[in-house]
Amino acid sequence: MKLKLKDIFNWLKNIYGLFLSFVNITYKTCNDKVDLFYFYCQSIFPQKKIWIFDACDYGNLGDQAILYAQIKYLKKIFPNHRILISPISRFSQIQKNISKITKHEDLIFLQGGGNLGNYYLRAENIRREIVTLLPENKIILFPQTIYFSNDANGQKELLITKQIYNKHKHLLLIAREETSYNVMQKNFNCPIILLPDIVLLLNYSNSQTIKYRNGCLICLRNDIESILKKQDKEYIYYTLLSQFDKKDISFTDTIGQNSYRGVLSKINHFKKKKLVITDRIHGMIFAAISETPCIVISNYNYKVSGTYKWISYLSYIQYINEIEDLPNTLKKMDLSQNYSFNNDPIWKEYSTKLIPMIRKL
């Protein structure tokens, strides 16, 4: 009995399926050679593909949440595409072969966040490489904050990024707040749109948990982005003592386990509290999507204040520019009320702006 070409193809397809069941591209278990072998096998088959070559694989829970939200969103709007992810730490191994494992029709998405600038050059250098190596592909940068310092180094790096990005014919940049949008419009000639941080598409609302809420959680930065001094943090703590017992005030950060389980654990931690005080953008967002009352304090740039504008309709999230405003804001907060998170306006922004722009690229 002669085998038809279709039968041979189906047989190969079954073998390929068995292979994929044994080779699982994860951040922890695959070595570099297995990653490349997996990608080469993916490139053989005609299914449409989406690539993320700079996926977060470090312990910043905000960036981990962004990656999860990106994948969830892409699965929803591109159900017929296979989504392939390579962690940013492995880019040097993928780099030499990136043009071999991709096809011109593949969609390339870049990790969103707040590292477009000269403060996090490792991430920016990798983005530059991806844009340079894939000149024919549609490349979409998920919502980012752009910040190049206004000094010689910052302006030098901005010029490098401008020269690389402006050469690409199918690049779409997405700013996650108005200031970044204006900076991008001024410096880049590619299409640019304004959308909120993609984590706001997630929803972990559950108002029934209000009866289990207790105490206050302080989630403050301790890095180059913090503008709070030691005495500022002490002022915050002693102000909270006017409404909370000492034993009910605890501390945390959005740095932790390198997996989405860490994100879920942190969100559940937030949901158990009556109030969160934070200067972190994803401290604010985790509070928003879990319906947890939150007072947000400004940080060194515009990403927190700019992102707050997207969710200013949520009465349980309050933003202050100065810590001296904390006592009055605290008095106005109703910590006994059941709040509701509605992210329909966020979904509408994505639905009306992003998909049409991808088609036009």
Side-chain angles (χ1 to χ4, degrees), residues 163-344:
Q163 291 171 340
I164 292 172
Y165 286 18
N166 286 338
K167 286 180 182 177
H168 202 284
K169 298 178 181 179
H170 310 287
L171 176 64
L172 170 63
L173 301 182
I174 307 176
R176 67 176 176 182
E177 20 68 22
E178 288 182 7
T179 303
S180 288
Y181 178 77
N182 293 333
V183 173
M184 288 179 183
Q185 288 275 24
K186 179 181 178 181
N187 289 284
F188 304 114
N189 56 24
C190 59
I192 300 162
I193 58 175
L194 176 64
L195 286 174
D197 190 293
I198 198 168
V199 179
L200 287 167
L201 293 181
L202 303 177
N203 193 330
Y204 294 94
S205 59
N206 183 4
S207 297
Q208 297 304 314
T209 61
I210 189 68
K211 59 185 177 183
Y212 301 113
R213 295 186 187 272
N214 182 53
C216 177
L217 188 62
I218 300 175
C219 178
L220 299 175
R221 305 194 73 105
N222 188 27
D223 59 14
I224 59 173
E225 294 192 31
S226 176
I227 61 172
L228 297 176
K229 300 176 182 177
K230 181 180 178 182
Q231 56 265 38
D232 296 328
K233 295 178 181 181
E234 290 175 350
Y235 176 82
I236 293 169
Y237 177 74
Y238 287 111
T239 300
L240 292 171
L241 286 176
S242 65
Q243 288 206 25
F244 296 93
D245 291 337
K246 184 177 180 179
K247 62 180 178 59
D248 293 328
I249 300 175
S250 56
F251 298 83
T252 190
D253 202 352
T254 55
I255 303 297
Q257 185 180 357
N258 177 23
S259 73
Y260 190 64
R261 287 190 297 273
V263 176
L264 288 177
S265 176
K266 187 62 63 178
I267 292 173
N268 287 329
H269 190 190
F270 276 41
K271 288 176 70 171
K272 295 176 182 177
K273 301 300 177 180
K274 284 187 176 181
L275 177 67
V276 169
I277 306 291
T278 189
D279 61 351
R280 280 193 172 274
I281 182 173
H282 287 101
M284 173 179 68
I285 290 175
F286 289 172
I289 65 179
S290 64
E291 300 175 334
T292 304
C294 178
I295 298 176
V296 189
I297 304 169
S298 177
N299 78 338
Y300 87 114
N301 70 9
Y302 35 78
K303 68 179 180 181
V304 176
S305 59
T307 299
Y308 172 73
K309 290 180 180 179
W310 291 107
I311 56 173
S312 58
Y313 63 90
L314 299 174
S315 61
Y316 59 94
I317 307 293
Q318 294 294 316
Y319 178 85
I320 58 174
N321 279 308
E322 307 291 339
I323 60 170
E324 288 77 17
D325 296 329
L326 179 60
N328 287 335
T329 305
L330 187 59
K331 289 177 183 177
K332 295 175 183 177
M333 298 284 286
D334 185 352
L335 304 182
S336 62
Q337 183 178 335
N338 286 348
Y339 292 100
S340 177
F341 175 57
N342 176 11
N343 61 356
D344 288 346

